[in-house]
Amino acid sequence: MRRECPQCGEFMRQVTRESVLQVPGNPQPTRTQIREWVCPECDYFEEDDSRDGDA
Ligand SMILES: [Zn+2]
């Protein structure tokens, strides 16, 4: 699956980064995997709105 950058038309790259959410009162931080599309040519990025599983 590919996506083009709406700003420059370059093919964007899909990256996965991990967000750690610290909840007060909970010693275990919650880790969330966030998928994003980033453009290698400009600074444009957007969240990947397609998800596996819960459709
Ligand atoms: Zn771009």
Side-chain angles (χ1 to χ4, degrees):
M1 176 175 153
R2 287 185 149 187
R3 187 176 292 214
E4 286 183 30
C5 174
Q7 290 193 18
C8 69
E10 190 66 41
F11 283 117
M12 298 173 75
R13 192 180 309 166
Q14 192 176 42
V15 297
T16 304
R17 66 185 175 89
E18 191 175 65
S19 174
V20 180
L21 181 69
Q22 194 77 48
V23 181
N26 189 348
Q28 288 277 38
T30 303
R31 293 169 181 269
T32 310
Q33 298 251 315
I34 300 177
R35 286 194 300 184
E36 288 179 341
W37 289 95
V38 297
C39 176
E41 290 297 314
C42 65
D43 288 335
Y44 184 83
F45 72 95
E46 63 183 51
E47 285 187 27
D48 185 3
D49 48 10
S50 67
R51 298 189 180 187
D52 300 327
D54 52 5

